[in-house]
Amino acid sequence: MSGLHTILVVDDDPSIVDLLRDFLENDSFQVMTACDADQAWTIFQQSPIHCIVLDIMMPGQNGFELCRRIRAESHVPILFLSARSDDVDKIRGFTLGGDDYIVKTASPGEIVARVKAVLRRTDSSWQKNERILDYGRIKINLSAREVVVDGKHVVLTPKEYELLRLFAEHPRHVFSYEQLLAKFWDGIGDRHTIRVHLSRLREKIESDPNHPKYLLNVWGVGYRFEGG
């Protein structure tokens, strides 16, 4: 897999760029680098890029702004890299279409592993304006807004679909009740509101809703998607 993929690393810190390039190339990825958003955009327009590791805080246009620009025309996976670990930046990154959020204290090996994970769960057909998340029993075509479970199309309400998409795009990330309420209900409602919606969603995607294997409750905190 690695040798067929080109990773674009965007960061204004040369030491981080060099370190990530060494680790990615050691795993047989092809690597291109940029020190700011303008250079990254030029490379993205001229070269086939399969995944972007994108620093948020850069001089000039920041990573969020570049992500918004890229998302206007492509579904290429984007992994945000940031020195900050607060939830506000994470939620903003996910809302803009980021596929993962990595704090810079993570080891280079972990970052490479996260790149591999996002490439495994996204289909290369994003270049044809299509992106598919494949979790075995569950397949989600993000372009067509279609969900297939055990080979059969499942009809979801708009809210159910958006909830499933958020979880499936960020496997094992725990979303708190407060984050979910803020994103999907404008902060209006309570934990019961979320439980009802996720219970209905489980009925449609889980083989045994009473013993879920995908949408798991994190006691007292919220929920996460166990992608496997």
Side-chain angles (χ1 to χ4, degrees):
M1 178 186 77
S2 302
L4 301 176
H5 292 87
T6 299
I7 314 301
L8 174 59
V9 178
V10 188
D11 199 302
D12 63 326
D13 186 335
S15 63
I16 292 177
V17 170
D18 290 343
L19 186 61
L20 289 180
R21 177 170 53 200
D22 289 345
F23 271 77
L24 287 164
E25 288 181 343
N26 188 59
D27 240 296
S28 301
F29 285 105
Q30 300 177 53
V31 181
M32 304 186 76
T33 65
C35 63
D36 58 37
D38 288 339
Q39 186 180 12
W41 179 252
T42 298
I43 293 172
F44 177 73
Q45 290 289 298
Q46 297 176 350
S47 307
I49 302 297
H50 302 96
C51 182
I52 300 174
V53 178
L54 178 59
D55 185 26
I56 292 177
M57 300 305 296
M58 296 183 292
Q61 190 179 60
N62 64 35
F64 289 142
E65 293 166 340
L66 178 59
C67 176
R68 185 182 291 108
R69 194 175 179 187
I70 291 171
R71 278 291 172 264
E73 61 178 70
S74 173
H75 294 298
V76 58
I78 296 175
L79 291 82
F80 282 114
L81 193 61
S82 175
R84 300 173 57 178
S85 60
D86 57 88
D87 285 342
V88 174
D89 273 3
K90 288 182 181 180
I91 293 299
R92 186 181 180 192
F94 292 152
T95 301
L96 288 172
D99 295 87
D100 204 346
Y101 186 101
I102 308 170
V103 180
K104 286 188 176 181
T105 53
S107 68
E110 179 183 345
I111 295 174
V112 173
R114 303 271 277 270
V115 168
K116 288 181 176 180
V118 77
L119 286 172
R120 278 197 299 269
R121 69 176 186 258
T122 55
D123 189 87
S124 61
S125 60
W126 65 264
Q127 293 183 12
K128 297 177 286 186
N129 199 33
E130 183 178 77
R131 184 158 156 244
I132 298 172
L133 302 181
D134 187 344
Y135 287 106
R137 288 184 56 250
I138 301 175
K139 295 178 176 61
I140 307 168
N141 186 320
L142 300 181
S143 300
R145 292 177 67 91
E146 292 179 343
V147 177
V148 175
V149 179
D150 292 330
K152 299 179 181 179
H153 284 84
V154 173
V155 178
L156 302 181
T157 67
K159 186 83 72 179
E160 289 168 350
Y161 174 81
E162 293 300 335
L163 280 163
L164 178 60
R165 173 173 179 167
L166 177 69
F167 282 109
E169 286 190 306
H170 309 100
R172 295 193 57 76
H173 180 87
V174 178
F175 288 95
S176 69
Y177 290 103
E178 291 74 18
Q179 289 170 340
L180 294 172
L181 279 173
K183 181 171 177 60
F184 295 104
W185 287 275
D186 295 323
I188 300 172
D190 54 23
R191 296 188 176 192
H192 178 68
T193 301
I194 297 172
R195 293 190 186 107
V196 168
H197 278 79
L198 291 186
S199 176
R200 292 172 180 166
L201 183 55
R202 281 173 171 164
E203 292 285 344
K204 296 180 180 181
I205 69 169
E206 298 280 2
S207 57
D208 183 356
N210 293 320
H211 299 87
K213 294 184 177 179
Y214 288 95
L215 278 174
L216 304 184
N217 178 249
V218 180
W219 183 254
V221 180
Y223 292 85
R224 75 170 188 266
F225 185 84
E226 193 68 32

